Amino acid sequence: MPIRHARIFPRYAFYCVLAGLAAIYVFCAMMLVPAKIYILPYLITADFVRYKGAFFVLVLAIPAAIYLIFWKGSDFLAWWRTPKVLTVGAHGMQLGGDIIAFADVTRLRHRHNRNHVLITTRKGKTLRLRLDLWDNAAALVAEVEEAISEVLRHDVDRRVHAGDTVAFGALGLNAEGLVHKGQLIAWSSIDTIRTQSDEEGMDVDEHLVIVANGKARKIDRSKIDNEPVLMACLMQHLPSA
């Protein structure tokens, strides 16, 4: 039975857009002071202009506003034109007029730092699935990843058994081990593989940490293609991973 997910309002992205607009408003207020035009209370404006660090604050205001509006707030900008319902079935998904058959998908990339899932088909069309716009997002991404992984896994197994190295974006995989930056990491040399979350300011980056021969390698999970398929292959070759 198809599962329907309703569109929800992205409050966090909305607040980021408001913060960006506020930064632009303050910047404009400071730029108008020399012309004696005050769009903020005069005392606040005058005191700020005399502040020693005011110049640096103003220099950073516009880049900060762009970051907040078009990066952190992009989900709110997209919310206006997003259909109200996303339907996930056994063989595909429908978002408005876009219908994606799981059998046609060649690449799935989870942009963890933005909570977006990019789904690319054989025809080269890419659908951006913004998880923060849908209710029960955890279940949604699990449904989509499981369905697509089921389709892609068979082709990966076939290619590995044929001796090919299968590309997963930042990583490659073959019968001998993993390939990272052109270097082979043999299965026998791998001690542990785990995921790790790193917070930096307003962003949370997700990494895949591979420890081999006592050396740790951190790979940005947002740069890994078809990660669910890769993880399933890792479990097959490294049951203790």
Side-chain angles (χ1 to χ4, degrees):
M1 178 181 295
I3 301 175
R4 296 162 63 89
H5 294 270
R7 185 187 66 178
I8 61 175
F9 185 75
R11 294 183 181 277
Y12 175 74
F14 172 67
Y15 292 141
C16 286
V17 170
L18 287 183
L21 293 176
I24 293 175
Y25 186 82
V26 171
F27 175 83
C28 293
M30 296 304 109
M31 293 297 99
L32 291 174
V33 168
K36 295 184 179 180
I37 299 175
Y38 304 103
I39 59 176
L40 282 175
Y42 171 75
L43 293 178
I44 296 176
T45 306
D47 288 344
F48 183 80
V49 170
R50 288 193 294 268
Y51 175 60
K52 293 181 179 180
F55 173 77
F56 298 101
V57 174
L58 292 178
V59 168
L60 294 175
I62 296 302
I66 293 173
Y67 171 75
L68 288 168
I69 294 173
F70 296 105
W71 180 265
K72 303 298 290 185
S74 65
D75 283 348
F76 171 70
L77 302 180
W79 176 79
W80 296 93
R81 59 182 184 276
T82 299
K84 294 182 178 181
V85 175
L86 168 64
T87 304
V88 180
H91 303 290
M93 56 187 292
Q94 181 175 358
L95 179 59
D98 293 322
I99 300 177
I100 302 293
F102 294 136
D104 291 336
V105 175
T106 58
R107 190 184 76 161
L108 179 147
R109 176 174 287 193
H110 191 164
R111 299 288 298 276
H112 293 274
N113 55 348
R114 303 190 70 183
N115 210 19
H116 295 173
V117 175
L118 304 180
I119 302 172
T120 304
T121 66
R122 301 181 191 279
K123 296 181 179 180
K125 181 179 180 180
T126 298
L127 172 69
R128 182 181 295 269
L129 188 59
R130 299 171 182 267
L131 298 179
D132 289 339
L133 295 185
W134 304 104
D135 66 344
N136 206 356
L140 171 60
V141 71
E143 294 158 10
V144 172
E145 289 184 346
E146 181 180 0
I148 294 176
S149 298
E150 186 68 24
V151 173
L152 297 177
R153 178 69 185 276
H154 300 295
D155 181 60
V156 170
D157 287 341
R158 178 186 58 79
R159 293 176 59 189
V160 170
H161 290 154
D164 294 341
T165 296
V166 182
F168 288 91
L171 284 173
L173 181 146
N174 57 37
E176 298 179 2
L178 296 173
V179 179
H180 180 238
K181 295 183 177 180
Q183 297 181 340
L184 176 67
I185 309 172
W187 295 120
S188 59
S189 69
I190 298 177
D191 301 317
T192 60
I193 295 180
R194 69 179 188 277
T195 57
Q196 177 178 304
S197 300
D198 297 317
E199 293 188 18
E200 185 175 348
M202 298 175 65
D203 294 321
V204 178
D205 293 325
E206 295 286 339
H207 292 95
L208 185 68
V209 182
I210 303 173
V211 180
N213 293 325
K215 178 182 178 181
R217 300 170 184 255
K218 291 177 65 175
I219 296 95
D220 185 351
R221 294 175 64 191
S222 294
K223 297 180 179 179
I224 297 177
D225 293 336
N226 303 327
E227 185 182 13
V229 181
L230 173 63
M231 298 304 289
C233 292
L234 292 179
M235 293 299 294
Q236 179 181 342
H237 288 88
L238 301 168
S240 61

